[in-house]
Amino acid sequence: MALKEAVEMAKKGLSYAKRTKYKEALAYYNKALTIDPNYAEGLFLRAAALIESGRYKEGLLDCDKAIAINQNLSEAWSKKALALFYLERIEDALAASTRASTLNANDVTAWYIKGVCLDEMGRSDEAQEAYGKSLELEIILDMHADAKKIRQQR
């Protein structure tokens, strides 16, 4: 019962986050986590909103909490990589983005962050491979989205 309520609050938060209304999103994520403090996806979503708001350290803490609950939550690893990158912890960001891309080989963000980190470390050949993978995935995802739109218009 509690999880269902927490999910509903998180969905409301996500609708605000998609419109970059992070203050409102955070309020709903906080409500969701008050209902169920161990809701890993809620922690990840709150982390994403915090990171997008420039609150990198807080977002990183939520990523770590989400990962402690579910070590296979690739989105939390990906956002952790982003927070670490913004905190200029490049090697840690590379490790987190590698873990994210291992868990979900289709994670565009993880591949891109991996490329940026490798670039920062002077490993440009590896960086180009990671950038290429992120671009390839982005193109594929765009094609799938276009195909879905076409099917819906029929």
Side-chain angles (χ1 to χ4, degrees), residues 9-30 45-46 48-50 52-53 55:
M9 290 292 123
K11 282 182 182 177
K12 289 179 182 179
L14 187 57
S15 73
Y16 281 103
K18 285 181 178 178
R19 294 176 285 161
T20 67
K21 294 185 176 196
Y22 299 116
K23 184 178 178 182
E24 294 86 347
L26 286 167
Y28 279 104
Y29 296 147
N30 288 336
L45 290 168
R46 184 171 73 182
L50 288 166
E52 292 300 322
S53 302
R55 296 162 64 183

